[in-house]
Amino acid sequence: MPQHSRRFRPSQLVLLAATLTATTSITGLASAHADSPSWRQYVQAPSSRTVKPVAVVATTGDVTRPNGALGKGTAVLNRPAPLPRPSWPTGTTATASSHHEGNNGNDNKPRTYVPGNAIDGDIGTFWNDESAAAYPAWLQITSPAPVSLPGITVRSNSDGTPQDFTVETWDGSAWKVQATVTGNSEVQRAVAFPATVTTTQVRINVTKDQSTPKGEYTRINEVYPGLIADAPAPSITLDFGKVVVGYPRISFAGASAGNPGVRLAFSETQEFLGDRSDFSRSDYAGGPGTDQYAVPQQGGTWTDTGGCKNGTQVCADGLHGFRYLKITLDALPGDAPAAQPYGSVKINGVSLDFTALLGTPNSYTGWFESSDTKLNQYWYNASYTNELGTDTFRAGDVDMRNAFSPTLDGKLVLHDGAKRDRDPYVGDIAVSGRTTYLTHNTSIAARNVLADLADHQRNDGWIPPASIGNYTLPLFDYPMWWVTSSWDYLLYTGDTGYAQTYYPHLLKVLDNWYPSVTDTNGLLSKGLNGTKDYGDYAFLGRTGEVTYYNTLYVQALKNAAGYARSLGHTADAERWEQRAKSVSDAINAHLWDAGAGAYLDSATGPVRHGQDGNGLAVVAGVSDPVRAASALDYLAKNTARPYGNAFMDNDTLVPDGSQRVYAFTSYPEIQARFLSGQADSAIEEIKRLYGWMTEHGPGITDWEGIGAGGSLYQGAFTSAAHGWSTGVLPALTNGLLGATPTGPGFATWTIKPNPGSVSWAKGVLPTPHGPLRVDWTRDKNKNDFTLTYTAPKDTSGDVSVPVTGSAAVRLDGKIVWNGTAAVNGSGATLDNGYVTLHRVKAGTHTIKVAGGGN
């Protein structure tokens, strides 16, 4: 594996990040631990970087003492050498419905896929039909002389097996069905006939294949004339208890002579764990879907750091994100003789070298806890999901699609996910960045990515979404997420050095590129300036005036105005604020569907309404309160599913639009509900969405997307631990607990609790000045509410408390609102059920709301 001149271990980078961030955050850390030990029970991170499996969940074949893999004795996997295979008579031929053109295969060597490969006696070659999911696909074998067959054996491969097929024989005048197979998942399947048949022709008729990352093709490596009863490959499947990420390590106590091989398959879920991984980095290069190793006779400890043992043989990917690990005594045909698929292997321990941020309780600089234990768990599940993506950018495990970048090499970053994508995308950082700032002292991970993308800004102002494709992947919306994420970074860290350095990039993207894709209505219109084929967060085929793009544009402009004003660029701020107002007016004029009471997804094409645009319309302040309430009501009535709210109300954009749920687009909707005073509906949506992910799939971690019926929306390819899905964490801290920065580095802030059904909540937000603490309780029966906050020195903010009727409000025992008006010079104001105290100072203060009004 290529090595570079200098590298830091992830633990060293975390320490470096802590050193580079304001040391006052450490004050928040210490006090967080002293304040409320009960929140620690929800933390999900492993206790050390050596992570061990918790259980053996399955075995196959000849395995003794499987618990040896857990370090309890020694597990032994045995597999005898295969018996000689029967062969077809000389002169036998094969034809097929079609065959794929030749290309460079998994080993990057020229390969053919002709029907004859299925009878050549070499399991390293195979017949592959021409088109994906084209049925029926048939293979016909013709012998020059009659052959007596009790059945046949079909050998395929881990790239995908035939699932449903029939076997027919020719009786001299017609084809006769001898066997029907359904639901097959075996790579080698013996198919018995009712009685021995003598024939010169056999036909396999396939009507369904496995769908794998290699596509849904019919692949048959070999058809044997007879029944082969090989002993099943011995395997042990281990459960690590939750999704983890890092380098697998196996301790071998010994092995038989002759290089017995092991193949490792990884999966985040048991559903997609088979003879190949649910996803492996080398899938992009046609890899086998497993990591290979040849076990030496003397044994030893092998750490799967990637690379090949013998040229291009016996190769492994190295780092993986997974929950389940399947270890099989087996070898690829092309790895012989360096590794053989038989022999004996002894294992006395398996573990993982955990590479991501180790988010133990002592590492938390911010925390959250409430009377609702489910909400607490979802908050810490989200934190753990985000920790899995907080890792070092390394050439050996980043996305293979030209994502490696020397300017990121060795730096701490926020990858999209543990399994994939191992590349930091800025749209994801719009969520994962906030999760980072609120939990750990690792804001440098966000800064590294934001700065690097800005450094690769195109001459016309467009900012790339990620390093993938050498910074060329064309996405329409992600430059706006760079703007909002840069403002978030400034708000939470106060890093004015970053703000000054990248202000010219902000000007260029907002004043050069986005005006070039603005139409005569003053709206962004995808398709202008060569953007027809640009994608977005889900690579959706939307064109023209799209509500999501334009509401995000309003948010970006408003955030940019705050950024500019903090640096003293008042004219730019005022110009962007005016543009935000103009775009908002145009959205309401052209994209509001009065009949539905919601914003259209697009002004062109079939009528539909998207969660992304409607949620952001409220968050960005595009909608007035009446339209906000109407849009949120529409989403609740038309998109609610047992596992969250769908991102579209119908299937006119994508076939599963009304069933697909993204936590990424649900986050703005949940924010919007808190902002609109609909705390109970926000909590209800959180519990459907995050409750589903907690109780299904791998559990604990937050999925990239959810499909029909609550499935992983892209099957095995789906990342089940994705940072962009952690919006529940900032939603609960900023929305329910109610604390949010409003000025760079928390110089100013607001506290506005949204209790809903929650009776108490408390937490700490780390700031460059020290911890901002919030602790509130409510008594529904008495309409009483008590809030205690501690604000760090050199900061100030507005504090709002919910009131009912003529309730009085006291600050530190002194009345400031008598039920109808401000008193004692407090300057308190009443708006929409909240009394607000403005520009309150640092220190510890208690505000009490008494229902009696006296």
Side-chain angles (χ1 to χ4, degrees):
M1 187 175 76
Q3 298 293 320
H4 295 269
S5 58
R6 179 168 184 179
R7 292 191 180 277
F8 294 98
R9 287 180 58 82
S11 55
Q12 293 172 309
L13 284 164
V14 171
L15 179 60
L16 176 61
T19 304
L20 292 174
T21 310
T23 56
T24 47
S25 294
I26 304 303
T27 305
L29 173 65
S31 51
H33 301 158
D35 243 13
S36 178
S38 58
W39 60 264
R40 294 184 175 209
Q41 67 185 295
Y42 301 105
V43 173
Q44 292 290 350
S47 59
S48 75
R49 292 206 172 275
T50 299
V51 184
K52 296 182 179 181
V54 297
V56 174
V57 294
T59 63
T60 61
D62 185 358
V63 178
T64 58
R65 298 184 299 277
N67 281 343
L70 303 177
K72 302 174 182 178
T74 301
V76 181
L77 289 71
N78 288 295
R79 190 181 194 186
L83 297 172
R85 297 322 199 204
S87 59
W88 297 94
T90 301
T92 298
T93 59
T95 56
S97 53
S98 67
H99 70 269
H100 203 284
E101 292 183 2
N103 57 27
N104 289 336
N106 293 344
D107 55 5
N108 205 33
K109 295 179 180 178
R111 180 180 288 273
T112 65
Y113 304 99
V114 296
N117 289 345
I119 57 169
D120 64 359
D122 181 0
I123 61 172
T125 66
F126 58 95
W127 165 62
N128 198 127
D129 69 336
E130 182 177 23
S131 303
Y135 304 111
W138 55 263
L139 175 72
Q140 184 171 313
I141 299 169
T142 302
S143 169
V147 180
S148 293
L149 299 173
I152 63 171
T153 300
V154 180
R155 172 69 182 252
S156 54
N157 63 66
S158 59
D159 285 351
T161 63
Q163 285 187 318
D164 300 344
F165 60 93
T166 59
V167 179
E168 303 170 331
T169 58
W170 181 254
D171 70 358
S173 60
W175 290 102
K176 301 291 185 182
V177 175
Q178 300 294 342
T180 299
V181 177
T182 58
N184 176 58
S185 61
E186 297 177 29
V187 169
Q188 184 166 299
R189 179 67 180 258
V191 183
F193 298 164
T196 298
V197 175
T198 300
T199 184
T200 58
Q201 290 184 298
V202 176
R203 185 164 66 186
I204 301 170
N205 210 40
V206 181
T207 54
K208 180 65 177 175
D209 294 299
Q210 276 184 327
S211 178
T212 74
K214 298 297 183 62
E216 190 175 322
Y217 289 94
T218 301
R219 303 175 177 92
I220 296 180
N221 292 52
E222 203 68 26
V223 179
Y224 296 109
L227 299 175
I228 299 174
D230 284 342
S235 70
I236 301 174
T237 299
L238 301 171
D239 179 8
F240 279 73
K242 66 191 77 172
V243 176
V244 293
V245 64
Y247 300 115
R249 180 182 293 120
I250 304 177
S251 175
F252 294 101
S256 58
N259 306 318
V262 291
R263 298 180 66 185
L264 276 58
F266 305 85
S267 182
E268 291 178 310
T269 65
Q270 281 188 286
E271 177 185 4
F272 294 111
L273 181 65
D275 292 322
R276 65 175 300 129
S277 303
D278 59 356
F279 170 82
S280 194
R281 180 173 172 268
S282 60
D283 284 347
Y284 290 127
T290 53
D291 286 18
Q292 284 61 236
Y293 182 64
V295 185
Q297 191 170 0
Q298 71 275 18
T301 299
W302 172 57
T303 301
D304 183 1
T305 55
C308 299
K309 177 184 177 182
N310 184 26
T312 58
Q313 289 184 310
V314 196
C315 299
D317 277 2
L319 182 142
H320 286 272
F322 64 98
R323 174 173 173 173
Y324 299 97
L325 166 60
K326 183 178 181 180
I327 305 171
T328 305
L329 200 169
D330 196 12
L332 298 173
D335 282 350
Q340 298 288 359
Y342 50 83
S344 178
V345 168
K346 299 177 180 179
I347 298 173
N348 58 8
V350 176
S351 62
L352 176 90
D353 181 5
F354 191 83
T355 60
L357 172 64
L358 192 62
T360 58
N362 288 343
S363 72
Y364 275 77
T365 53
W367 54 268
F368 168 88
E369 191 175 10
S370 75
S371 59
D372 192 317
T373 57
K374 289 185 177 180
L375 296 182
N376 300 341
Q377 192 60 72
Y378 303 153
W379 197 94
Y380 290 92
N381 289 355
S383 179
Y384 180 61
T385 300
N386 210 50
E387 292 156 22
L388 290 170
T390 308
D391 206 340
T392 307
F393 192 96
R394 294 175 292 261
D397 60 72
V398 298
D399 193 313
M400 290 187 72
R401 296 171 294 178
N402 294 316
F404 177 69
S405 171
T407 55
L408 284 174
D409 188 30
K411 295 181 179 180
L412 195 68
V413 298
L414 291 172
H415 283 306
D416 280 16
K419 178 176 77 176
R420 55 146 287 271
D421 297 310
R422 300 287 297 179
D423 193 24
Y425 283 70
V426 72
D428 300 57
I429 288 175
V431 182
S432 64
R434 291 181 179 179
T435 301
T436 293
Y437 308 141
L438 290 169
T439 55
H440 295 94
N441 199 20
T442 50
S443 60
I444 189 68
R447 188 195 194 282
N448 286 337
V449 179
L450 295 172
D452 184 69
L453 295 176
D455 289 338
H456 288 85
Q457 186 174 37
R458 213 163 57 189
N459 288 336
D460 63 358
W462 178 83
I463 293 175
S467 61
I468 187 172
N470 294 320
Y471 297 92
T472 62
L473 180 67
L475 298 187
F476 192 82
D477 52 339
Y478 273 36
M480 291 182 282
W481 286 124
W482 179 87
V483 174
T484 66
S485 296
S486 292
W487 174 236
D488 279 348
Y489 175 73
L490 181 58
L491 280 177
Y492 281 91
T493 70
D495 185 351
T496 55
Y498 170 89
Q500 292 282 7
T501 299
Y502 293 103
Y503 188 73
H505 302 73
L506 186 74
L507 281 165
K508 202 170 182 180
V509 69
L510 289 179
D511 287 353
N512 286 17
W513 197 73
Y514 278 109
S516 77
V517 290
T518 299
D519 66 13
T520 55
N521 287 330
L523 293 170
L524 300 184
S525 181
K526 188 159 84 73
L528 297 178
N529 193 25
T531 59
K532 178 179 180 295
D533 295 325
Y534 276 47
D536 57 20
Y537 67 89
F539 300 94
L540 301 168
R542 298 189 277 197
T543 57
E545 297 171 348
V546 174
T547 298
Y548 159 65
Y549 301 147
N550 283 282
T551 53
L552 178 57
Y553 190 33
V554 171
Q555 185 69 55
L557 288 165
K558 289 182 175 181
N559 288 170
Y563 188 135
R565 191 166 274 110
S566 74
L567 298 178
H569 300 297
T570 305
D572 291 337
E574 292 174 348
R575 179 165 47 81
W576 286 331
E577 286 169 340
Q578 180 55 49
R579 194 191 307 174
K581 182 181 183 306
S582 298
V583 176
S584 294
D585 291 344
I587 292 170
N588 286 314
H590 298 284
L591 291 168
W592 177 254
D593 181 351
Y599 291 95
L600 293 165
D601 175 55
S602 174
T604 59
V607 172
R608 60 180 173 266
H609 308 86
Q611 179 192 46
D612 50 11
N614 279 277
L616 277 169
V618 181
V619 173
V622 172
S623 56
D624 58 31
V626 173
R627 283 182 171 171
S630 177
L632 293 175
D633 183 59
Y634 181 88
L635 294 179
K637 290 178 178 177
N638 293 279
T639 68
R641 302 290 174 262
Y643 45 89
N645 284 5
F647 89 119
M648 289 290 157
D649 64 342
N650 62 45
D651 300 333
T652 58
L653 181 61
V654 289
D656 65 338
S658 65
Q659 302 300 315
R660 188 190 301 181
V661 171
Y662 286 114
F664 177 67
T665 55
S666 296
Y667 172 41
E669 183 189 346
I670 292 167
Q671 283 182 289
R673 294 187 183 281
F674 278 124
L675 290 170
S676 301
Q678 299 183 29
D680 281 334
S681 68
I683 293 168
E684 188 275 334
E685 184 175 348
I686 284 171
K687 289 187 173 181
R688 273 187 294 116
L689 172 57
Y690 288 91
W692 186 273
M693 292 189 288
T694 297
E695 296 166 8
H696 297 82
I700 300 174
T701 50
D702 300 328
W703 310 355
E704 178 184 15
I706 307 176
S711 61
L712 292 166
Y713 85 121
Q714 290 184 310
F717 185 72
T718 309
S719 165
H722 222 66
W724 81 347
S725 296
T726 62
V728 64
L729 192 152
L732 289 173
T733 294
N734 302 146
L736 190 139
L737 184 65
T740 307
T742 57
F746 280 87
T748 57
W749 38 262
T750 60
I751 299 173
K752 185 180 181 182
N754 290 278
S757 59
V758 175
S759 59
W760 61 263
K762 54 187 173 181
V764 163
L765 286 76
T767 87
H769 305 277
L772 173 61
R773 306 169 181 280
V774 180
D775 184 338
W776 54 256
T777 60
R778 65 181 306 212
D779 185 328
K780 286 185 178 181
N781 296 326
K782 297 181 179 179
N783 292 322
D784 290 350
F785 189 90
T786 300
L787 183 151
T788 299
Y789 69 91
T790 301
K793 185 180 178 182
D794 299 324
T795 71
S796 64
D798 293 351
V799 181
S800 302
V801 289
V803 296
T804 303
S806 59
V809 179
R810 289 175 170 81
L811 172 63
D812 297 330
K814 181 180 180 180
I815 192 166
V816 292
W817 180 266
N818 66 6
T820 58
V823 294
N824 294 322
S826 68
T829 57
L830 175 67
D831 180 49
N832 200 26
Y834 280 83
V835 166
T836 300
L837 302 176
H838 301 276
R839 294 177 295 280
V840 297
K841 301 302 181 183
T844 299
H845 303 280
T846 298
I847 302 173
K848 289 190 175 184
V849 178
N854 296 319

